[in-house]
Amino acid sequence: MGARITALIQLSLLVSYFSSAQQVVGRISDEETNEPVPFAHVAIGKVVTISNEAGEFMILRESEADSLLQVSFIGYEPVVLNVSKNPTYNIKLTSSTLSLSAVTVLTGDILMQHVFNHLITNYEMEATRLTSYYKEKLITQDSLVYLAEGILDILSPPNISGGTTKISPLRTRKVVLQKLDPERATMMSGHAYDMIKSSIWRENSFLSKANRKHYSFEYEGKRPYQKHSVYEVSFAPKDNKGYVSGKLFIEDETYAIIKMIYEPKTNRSNFWDSVKWTEEFEFINGRFNLTAVSYKGAFSELGKPYEFYSLLINNSIITSTPASALEQVMDRKDIFVEKADFDFTEDFWSGYNFIKLTAEESSF
């Protein structure tokens, strides 16, 4: 009982703290084409987010001491701006002038050996307490079937342990525009549990010590990113025990994977026709932390095609997590099934970081 009261007090303080934060909004686009740049990384201090599919973003500035707005995307020059008193920005990204030529002495295998040797020093090892934004939606023939969003309180165990992730929804909302069958409704209960642990640490991952030998890694060249650059490495199965193909982007100074895009084979699935994952990392508190994960899956039912999307953004990451936090996060897997609001105004998220819905998503 005491732990529950403590959790409620801390949650009250958390809400009060974020409600006083300054909201910074804007749009990110390509300088030459004026096309939006979706999924660009945006950071102020230790708070991170991404732009939506229309290039729009919203982020909270927690302290006046956090005076710099940083925007970055692979292939573009980074943008760093001082946060003003009227924080609305129209940010134009320019293609980087950094050479993309390959370094011939490098190979995919050499680079990946550096990556594996630096895992313990590059990535966060401790338990983390996260305040995260989560969204999932189901679409058929360009028509929205289902949309749900939530702000989640997450306790993620240390990456090198087999502990259990705990998630408690702080605020959720959803809309169901077409009737779902019972099996589909059960599936739509929140996939944050599947997304919070990176492929770097999953036991059955293509990057695990047991499985990496089943893949070939090819060095593709260098690409610009932030103040440094990244090595681009493609990978694919080299025997019948491999089941994933994709690309890795590895920072040249640290040998840390800062982005991965991969597609598992779906011939093992009796449900999905195609699947695509993206994971991205940011350097926070002296280590690289998983900050953005997206999932896209396609399936068909009675000859009708469906696409399922989910997105998890770990906006606030606290790495000094006391043992008492295990009792404070009340685990609940049915994130949207039990209760969710139907309030799709932006005021609904007051005090929290969120991803703006696009015009298409909010047109219902």
Side-chain angles (χ1 to χ4, degrees), residues 254-270:
T254 61
Y255 295 107
I257 298 172
I258 56 94
K259 183 174 184 177
M260 61 176 82
I261 304 170
Y262 55 96
E263 299 183 31
K265 291 181 180 179
T266 53
N267 56 3
R268 301 185 181 189
S269 171
N270 58 7

Side-chain angles (χ1 to χ4, degrees), residues 295-315:
Y295 176 90
K296 177 182 178 180
F299 64 93
S300 57
E301 187 175 89
L302 299 176
K304 195 173 183 180
Y306 289 86
E307 289 187 336
F308 176 76
Y309 300 84
S310 57
L311 172 68
L312 180 71
I313 306 295
N314 299 321
N315 305 110

Side-chain angles (χ1 to χ4, degrees), residues 163-195:
T164 302
T165 297
K166 298 178 72 176
I167 296 180
S168 181
L170 300 176
R171 182 171 291 185
T172 60
R173 66 185 186 182
K174 70 176 180 180
V175 58
V176 179
L177 300 175
Q178 298 183 34
K179 186 177 180 181
L180 299 171
D181 65 47
E183 288 187 8
R184 196 76 63 244
T186 300
M187 185 185 78
M188 304 301 175
S189 60
H191 289 255
Y193 285 89
D194 300 327
M195 303 170 80

Side-chain angles (χ1 to χ4, degrees), residues 26-29 36-40 51-57 358:
R27 181 180 184 271
I28 304 168
S29 58
V37 179
F39 314 121
S51 57
N52 67 10
E53 294 176 37
E56 302 162 328
F57 70 89
T358 63

Side-chain angles (χ1 to χ4, degrees), residues 176-316:
V176 179
L177 300 175
Q178 298 183 34
K179 186 177 180 181
L180 299 171
D181 65 47
E183 288 187 8
R184 196 76 63 244
T186 300
M187 185 185 78
M188 304 301 175
S189 60
H191 289 255
Y193 285 89
D194 300 327
M195 303 170 80
I196 195 61
K197 198 171 187 69
S198 167
S199 292
I200 291 174
W201 302 112
R202 292 178 190 158
E203 289 185 8
N204 62 345
S205 164
F206 59 95
L207 292 174
S208 70
K209 198 173 273 191
N211 291 331
R212 62 184 70 154
K213 62 187 176 185
H214 301 301
Y215 294 88
S216 59
F217 298 92
E218 298 292 333
Y219 174 53
E220 303 288 350
K222 256 188 170 182
R223 295 179 63 82
Y225 183 68
Q226 295 185 348
K227 295 180 180 179
H228 307 295
S229 58
V230 292
Y231 300 116
E232 182 176 332
V233 174
S234 62
F235 66 94
K238 68 178 180 181
D239 58 40
N240 58 12
K241 291 187 177 180
Y243 64 97
V244 182
S245 58
K247 287 192 175 183
L248 305 172
F249 298 90
I250 302 162
E251 192 179 64
D252 61 354
E253 288 197 349
T254 61
Y255 295 107
I257 298 172
I258 56 94
K259 183 174 184 177
M260 61 176 82
I261 304 170
Y262 55 96
E263 299 183 31
K265 291 181 180 179
T266 53
N267 56 3
R268 301 185 181 189
S269 171
N270 58 7
F271 181 78
W272 297 107
D273 297 328
S274 65
V275 170
K276 182 177 181 179
W277 286 82
T278 302
E279 299 179 24
E280 301 193 53
F281 303 79
E282 289 283 349
F283 191 73
I284 300 170
N285 298 328
R287 296 289 185 100
F288 286 90
N289 290 264
L290 181 65
T291 53
V293 188
S294 62
Y295 176 90
K296 177 182 178 180
F299 64 93
S300 57
E301 187 175 89
L302 299 176
K304 195 173 183 180
Y306 289 86
E307 289 187 336
F308 176 76
Y309 300 84
S310 57
L311 172 68
L312 180 71
I313 306 295
N314 299 321
N315 305 110
S316 178

